[in-house]
Amino acid sequence: MLSPMDYCIETIELTRTFERVTAVDHLTMRVPRGSFFGFLGPNGAGKSTTIRMLTGMLYPSSGQALVLGMDVVRRPLEVKRRIGVAPEDSALFENLTAVEYLGFVGRIHGLPRPVIRSRIEELLILTALEKAADTPVFEYSQGMRKKLSLCAALIHDPEIIFLDEPFEGLDAIASKTLRQVLEQATSRGRTVFLTSHILQIVERLCNYVGILNRGRLAALGTMAEITARSGLEEVFVETAGAGEEVPHLSWLEA
């Protein structure tokens, strides 16, 4: 039985509305420390909105979000110092090079310059960006931007790493590297909070899973608990797709 101290993320009736649309609807869940958490759901389920509230990029309409025991709304700077974020749409400074951008991020987090230099070198080699280290970001491909965003999320060695669809646009080699980096992070007690629509990746990497459907939590537990009766794909379809009609094309009907 886990105690409250064993959880690094907790939401209590967390809700976010946009005019007449409720993107996240009274979400209550806990994420254990040191877990590799997979946050699943169909498009428009509210996954990205949840991450934006947990990382202080978006205020909730109601409810509460606690990260590392701190209220994100009341103590946003303290939370942001201790987390890393790689959003789905990489918000990078287009006219900076990779070295300049990562140096800027490192200084924001108060890292000593020698530490910044060594970590930049290591991160760029790890993500195969060293040859583009002095190239402006606006010349980067989508995959290169994803990798640079990951470098920025990792450079200050955060306690929680939030990744929104991190494998989107990555080739097989980059995906393998990313998996290895994230597994290394969790082996050191860091927590990874990952959203993805690729069930195979979540099934392979994650040991704790939450499934969101129309802003509401449909399932939450360890991977073993979630898949006790059937595979992850079957559980996902049963929960996130519950009650929906099976689509069909009239001209393909028998």
Side-chain angles (χ1 to χ4, degrees), residues 49-206:
T49 301
T50 300
I51 278 191
R52 291 172 66 192
M53 288 190 286
L54 291 174
T55 56
M57 293 189 284
L58 184 69
Y59 283 118
S61 301
S62 62
Q64 188 177 28
L66 302 174
V67 174
L68 298 169
M70 297 177 287
D71 188 304
V72 178
V73 173
R74 295 181 180 179
R75 302 169 67 182
L77 292 180
E78 293 172 72
V79 170
K80 290 175 182 178
R81 289 190 186 102
R82 297 170 63 181
I83 65 173
V85 185
E88 183 178 11
D89 50 342
S90 304
L92 306 171
F93 293 120
E94 297 284 316
N95 292 321
L96 297 183
T97 66
V99 171
E100 291 169 340
Y101 177 67
L102 293 177
F104 170 72
V105 174
R107 290 194 296 275
I108 284 179
H109 286 285
L111 298 178
R113 290 185 182 273
V115 173
I116 293 174
R117 285 195 296 270
S118 65
R119 289 188 181 179
I120 288 176
E121 181 179 3
E122 188 173 353
L123 285 166
L124 293 181
I125 292 174
L126 179 68
T127 55
L129 287 176
E130 71 273 20
K131 293 182 179 179
D134 298 315
T135 301
V137 173
F138 67 78
E139 296 185 17
Y140 277 25
S141 66
Q142 180 186 1
M144 294 169 71
R145 289 166 182 261
K146 281 279 187 181
K147 291 191 282 188
L148 182 57
S149 181
L150 175 65
C151 291
L154 294 174
I155 193 169
H156 57 295
D157 191 19
E159 295 173 58
I160 305 176
I161 307 165
F162 290 93
L163 305 170
D164 196 359
E165 297 288 356
F167 294 95
E168 190 82 22
L170 293 185
D171 58 36
I173 296 174
S175 295
K176 182 179 179 180
T177 300
L178 175 56
R179 291 198 301 269
Q180 292 172 338
V181 169
L182 297 179
E183 288 173 339
Q184 182 181 8
T186 54
S187 70
R188 295 178 56 244
R190 301 301 187 248
T191 303
V192 174
F193 187 110
L194 171 139
T195 75
S196 178
H197 65 277
I198 306 174
L199 298 183
Q200 293 84 351
I201 287 177
V202 173
E203 198 163 20
R204 184 184 306 167
L205 290 177
C206 300

Side-chain angles (χ1 to χ4, degrees), residues 6-23:
D6 295 320
Y7 296 99
C8 61
I9 298 171
E10 181 177 7
T11 66
I12 305 166
E13 298 290 317
L14 190 65
T15 302
R16 176 66 198 201
T17 58
F18 296 95
E19 296 182 353
R20 297 181 181 180
V21 177
T22 300

